[in-house]
Amino acid sequence: TYDAGLVAMILADLHDPYDLDLRKPLQEIADAIAAGQGKIGSWGYRIGSGHEPGDQENNSTLQYALLGLQAASRSGAKVPDVVWRKAAQYLLDDQGPKAGKDDLPPTAGWGYGHTETSNTGTREWHPAPYGSMTAVGIASLLICAEHLPQGDPLLKVDTREGEVLLL
């Protein structure tokens, strides 16, 4: 997923419809990235091979997939609305709970990802939300919002108490 996202960004940067027309390879890589989206809306480390055991979907791989899709889309590739919507919903569901650590104030945001405990249905965040992955979560939500149809109910943004929520 990292490679595919980076290749899409590079091809989009090189794309020039009057000189070096890369629409076809950009569409192919956008299709591959979109097809690699997991059931819950994120991406694992590998695309094109299905989600193998241990290929955990996470916010880091999601970031590269979305950056690649955004670059391809801006160069004319078609990405289905459902891809953006599933990714946005995943991010909303994955936003970590407020939790204070030691003498720090409680924060909400994103960590690397989460694990759902099948017995209880509860989520454990690994690790707890932290700054750089919260930046990834916010930026990824903004990318999704850019590509969702106008009027989509997920586009309402609420930033109360430092949280980013798309309602």
Side-chain angles (χ1 to χ4, degrees):
T1 302
Y2 292 121
D3 293 347
L6 288 169
V7 168
M9 288 184 271
I10 291 167
L11 290 178
D13 195 45
L14 295 173
H15 171 70
D16 180 348
Y18 303 105
D19 183 24
L20 186 58
D21 188 349
L22 298 171
R23 283 178 286 198
K24 184 176 181 194
L26 278 163
Q27 186 63 60
E28 289 170 357
I29 200 157
D31 291 345
I33 293 170
Q37 188 177 37
K39 291 185 295 186
I40 62 172
S42 186
W43 284 261
Y45 292 101
R46 299 171 206 81
I47 60 170
S49 61
H51 288 282
E52 299 170 10
D55 191 20
Q56 180 183 2
E57 298 175 27
N58 62 71
N59 295 325
S60 181
T61 50
L62 170 128
Q63 166 190 225
Y64 277 83
L66 290 177
L67 288 168
L69 288 171
Q70 178 184 44
S73 177
R74 287 181 174 174
S75 295
K78 304 294 183 225
V79 178
D81 290 344
V82 67
V83 173
W84 305 112
R85 176 170 263 290
K86 276 178 63 176
Q89 190 62 60
Y90 166 83
L91 286 158
L92 293 172
D93 293 344
D94 195 59
Q95 186 178 11
K98 290 183 179 182
K101 183 176 180 181
D102 301 327
D103 59 345
L104 299 174
T107 58
W110 286 268
Y112 186 74
H114 70 269
T115 305
E116 292 196 26
T117 306
S118 59
N119 299 349
T120 63
T122 60
R123 290 184 173 182
E124 295 178 24
W125 277 260
H126 302 286
Y130 57 100
S132 59
M133 290 312 291
T134 296
V136 164
I138 293 168
S140 296
L141 279 172
L142 291 173
I143 289 170
C144 292
E146 178 182 327
H147 296 281
L148 287 170
Q150 198 151 14
D152 191 295
L154 283 177
L155 293 178
K156 184 177 178 187
V157 177
D158 182 355
T159 57
R160 290 175 289 182
E161 298 181 38
E163 297 178 36
V164 174
L165 305 171
L166 294 183
L167 306 173

